[in-house]
Amino acid sequence: MNPLLEVQDLSVHFDTEDGIVIAVDGVSFALAPGETLGIVGESGSGKSVTSLAIMRLIKTPPGRIASGAISFEELDLVAASDEAMRDLRGKDVAMIFQDPMTSLNPVLTIGRQITEALELHLGMDPRAARLRAIELLALVGIPSPERRIDDYPHQFSGGMRQRAMIAMAVSCNPKLLIADEPTTALDVTIQAQILELIDRLRRELGMAVIIITHDLGVVAGMADRVFVMYAGRVVESGPTEAIFGDPRMPYTIGLLRSIPRLDDPDDHQLAPIPGTPAGPGQRRDCCAFAPRCGYVQDVCREGVPPLREVGPARHAACLFDVHATVPGP
């Protein structure tokens, strides 16, 4: 099966007063139709910039796609015209952003923000678009959609705003949905509801999903594969069950050990990763995680470790055959 989305050796740079900041450095992956991919990493690891590059939403200047290729089906997204990208966004590829309050237009009703995409991409007349918008609000679990469709974003709670964003994103039955930290600032109960909603819509609509998060626990039950990013690079990748069951990169081990578990029979202590995440000015000619790594040796500072195969469809950017016991997903 041909991939729906293919990213090859993607690098994104930002020009600043202090020089060039490398936000994404040589990221590659492919996504099959209907597949769910989790991209995980701390703030500043490059995961959101990767998604913005796919959508061609990097503000230029100061940002730019410095190298690499991004293809969606037959379309080269790096070389595509602005008109082609406008037609693609919302129709074939949709995105849920981190903060629905800043992503929604405060002076337009929720209904108008949904019907706009339906009229633009599907050619619906205003009446048909309004009826479809009501159906979409009901689909994502918003009560009394016939009444709430005329409300403004400030009249919705955080969880309801996120549901409205999801309704907007899936309104044109996209082939790919990118969810960037879709549960940020929501309480635990609402988080679980939003994740279950995204997974249900994926199954019902047959779309592929990229879910971006700083929390491995978020992707445990819904991603087919996981990519772990650190300092702009992919440092581990593989099937979700394998990543959780046998992490092979010290950074991934640290992320898993920092997840609180209510049902852990061995009562593992939470173990925070020491130090701070790699900054833009950190050395890029060695392992970026070396200053924080408990397995570090001198050789780790002599070059950038490549992603090497450590199992079936599994890769890790570590020079050593690291194994560690961590609580399960």
Side-chain angles (χ1 to χ4, degrees):
M1 180 184 295
N2 293 328
L4 178 70
L5 174 74
E6 191 166 11
V7 178
Q8 295 179 318
D9 200 27
L10 174 68
S11 293
V12 180
H13 296 178
F14 288 86
D15 297 313
T16 71
E17 294 179 354
D18 298 323
I20 296 175
V21 172
I22 303 175
V24 176
D25 190 5
V27 168
S28 299
F29 64 86
L31 183 70
E35 183 183 21
T36 299
L37 173 67
I39 301 179
V40 181
E42 292 171 286
S43 297
S45 62
K47 47 191 197 305
S48 291
V49 176
T50 299
S51 68
L52 291 173
I54 292 170
M55 298 291 287
R56 276 268 302 278
L57 292 175
I58 300 290
K59 187 176 180 181
T60 306
R64 54 193 165 87
I65 296 176
S67 63
I70 308 170
S71 60
F72 180 82
E73 295 186 321
E74 300 288 325
L75 183 63
D76 180 347
L77 300 190
V78 176
S81 66
D82 291 341
E83 182 181 0
M85 289 304 302
R86 282 193 297 269
D87 186 57
L88 181 80
R89 297 188 199 107
K91 182 181 179 182
D92 292 321
V93 183
M95 187 167 180
I96 305 168
F97 295 92
Q98 291 188 33
D99 185 356
M101 197 59 202
T102 58
S103 302
L104 293 167
N105 191 324
V107 300
L108 294 180
T109 65
I110 293 294
R112 180 55 192 144
Q113 295 184 63
I114 298 175
T115 59
E116 185 177 27
L118 295 170
E119 293 170 16
L120 176 65
H121 292 301
L122 302 184
M124 288 186 175
D125 61 62
R127 183 176 181 277
R130 180 179 174 86
L131 292 174
R132 176 57 179 159
I134 292 172
E135 292 177 358
L136 288 164
L137 291 177
L139 180 69
V140 298
I142 292 179
S144 305
E146 301 86 354
R147 177 174 58 83
R148 301 306 302 270
I149 192 174
D150 294 315
D151 285 349
Y152 290 86
H154 73 272
Q155 295 174 280
F156 279 56
S157 67
M160 289 296 106
R161 284 195 294 267
Q162 196 62 289
R163 288 175 183 269
M165 280 289 297
I166 295 171
M168 290 174 58
V170 303
S171 59
C172 298
N173 294 332
K175 298 175 183 177
L176 170 62
L177 176 67
I178 302 174
D180 186 2
E181 300 278 10
T183 59
T184 297
L186 301 178
D187 65 53
V188 175
T189 302
I190 302 301
Q191 283 185 25
Q193 293 174 0
I194 294 298
L195 293 173
E196 197 283 327
L197 172 61
I198 293 172
D199 196 44
R200 176 172 62 81
L201 291 174
R202 177 194 64 79
R203 296 192 305 268
E204 292 178 358
L205 302 178
M207 61 187 179
V209 173
I210 297 176
I211 184 161
I212 297 166
T213 178
H214 61 276
D215 185 353
L216 268 168
V218 167
V219 301
M222 63 182 298
D224 300 304
R225 289 185 297 138
V226 174
F227 276 60
V228 182
M229 291 189 67
Y230 188 80
R233 296 189 178 113
V234 174
V235 294
E236 184 163 6
S237 65
T240 304
E241 185 176 349
I243 293 287
F244 277 89
D246 183 23
R248 305 294 293 276
M249 168 68 189
Y251 177 60
T252 310
I253 294 168
L255 288 178
L256 286 168
R257 285 177 170 167
S258 68
I259 299 174
R261 296 281 304 171
L262 296 178
D263 58 348
D264 178 15
D266 298 321
D267 193 25
H268 286 88
Q269 294 280 326
L270 290 184
I273 301 174
T276 57
Q282 183 165 331
R283 285 179 57 188
R284 307 193 73 84
D285 58 352
C286 66
C287 177
F289 190 61
R292 309 174 68 188
C293 182
Y295 301 87
V296 65
Q297 297 186 31
D298 289 342
V299 68
C300 301
R301 299 183 176 91
E302 295 176 0
V304 178
L307 271 174
R308 63 184 184 90
E309 188 172 353
V310 294
R314 294 205 57 193
H315 295 83
C318 186
L319 299 173
F320 305 103
D321 193 19
V322 176
H323 294 267
T325 301
V326 295

